[in-house]
Amino acid sequence: MERSLVLLKPDAVQRGLVGTILARFEAKGLKLVGMKMRTFPASLLEQHYEVHKARPFFKGLVEFMSSGPVVALALEGKDAIAVIRSMVGKTNSREAAPGTIRGDLGMSFSNNLVHASDGADTAKFELGLWFADQAELSNWTPVSEPWVYNVAEELGR
Ligand code: CMP
């Protein structure tokens, strides 16, 4: 099982799309293991987007992401990182394929609704940053798990 960090950005909150986007992840079969909403400080966003520090859009990105409430999610599933990235779609929402979250719900490059971890190392770093307190993460087993997966074949249990 993998875990990934997903952020529902200020545009998703302002547009009333939190439920719509979260419902897609839940319906897919991803397990919600952490969720919180807050206007997060620029200092956290600067750490989160450290890799983009030298890019021209860095300052605006940090300002945008700290301008209003963001919903941070920790989601779990088999191959969750890749599954979530494919559900989110290309960074530029105008180019994102129909059927993806950005492709169906967005029109912007910068206001692209969602952030999702792009690899195992990134997910580990980002989850440690946004859910530093382990008590904010829930370890639980959905009753639907044996119906979402073939447990013996796919989960090796
Ligand atoms: P996200 O997946 O959160 O990762 C970096 C974010 O930077 C990206 O989504 C976009 O919202 C934002 N961004 C703005 N301009 C650019 C750009 N030119 N290239 C990449 N990302 C950009």
Side-chain angles (χ1 to χ4, degrees), residues 5-9 13 18 22 32-41 44 68-75 126-137:
L5 176 83
V6 171
L7 302 175
L8 307 185
K9 298 185 178 188
V13 177
V18 169
L22 181 56
L32 184 60
V33 293
M35 178 160 82
K36 58 183 170 184
M37 175 174 167
R38 196 173 306 159
T39 299
F40 292 95
L44 177 69
V70 162
V71 177
L73 308 173
L75 295 171
E126 292 178 353
L127 286 165
L129 192 60
W130 290 83
F131 291 95
D133 181 354
Q134 283 294 311
E136 291 181 322
L137 294 171

Side-chain angles (χ1 to χ4, degrees), residues 90-102:
K90 285 176 81 170
T91 306
N92 183 345
S93 305
R94 291 189 298 280
E95 294 175 359
T100 65
I101 291 167
R102 289 170 176 157

Side-chain angles (χ1 to χ4, degrees), residues 9-28:
K9 298 185 178 188
D11 52 322
V13 177
Q14 290 290 343
R15 292 179 55 201
L17 292 172
V18 169
T20 300
I21 297 171
L22 181 56
R24 285 184 175 226
F25 292 126
E26 284 192 307
K28 176 69 175 164

Side-chain angles (χ1 to χ4, degrees), residues 28-133:
K28 176 69 175 164
L30 289 154
K31 177 166 75 172
L32 184 60
V33 293
M35 178 160 82
K36 58 183 170 184
M37 175 174 167
R38 196 173 306 159
T39 299
F40 292 95
S43 54
L44 177 69
L45 275 312
E46 281 165 6
Q47 290 179 74
H48 174 79
Y49 283 124
E50 172 79 33
V51 65
H52 296 305
K53 199 165 183 161
R55 309 285 290 275
F57 58 84
F58 178 76
K59 188 166 172 280
L61 179 60
V62 169
E63 278 172 11
F64 167 61
M65 290 295 290
S66 55
S67 68
V70 162
V71 177
L73 308 173
L75 295 171
E76 185 181 296
K78 189 169 173 65
D79 302 325
I81 296 165
V83 167
I84 291 168
R85 291 286 290 185
S86 70
M87 290 177 73
V88 167
K90 285 176 81 170
T91 306
N92 183 345
S93 305
R94 291 189 298 280
E95 294 175 359
T100 65
I101 291 167
R102 289 170 176 157
D104 286 351
L105 303 174
M107 279 296 285
S108 170
F109 199 133
S110 323
N111 294 11
N112 60 1
L113 299 164
V114 180
H115 165 86
S117 304
D118 65 6
D121 292 345
T122 319
K124 194 168 177 221
F125 167 73
E126 292 178 353
L127 286 165
L129 192 60
W130 290 83
F131 291 95
D133 181 354

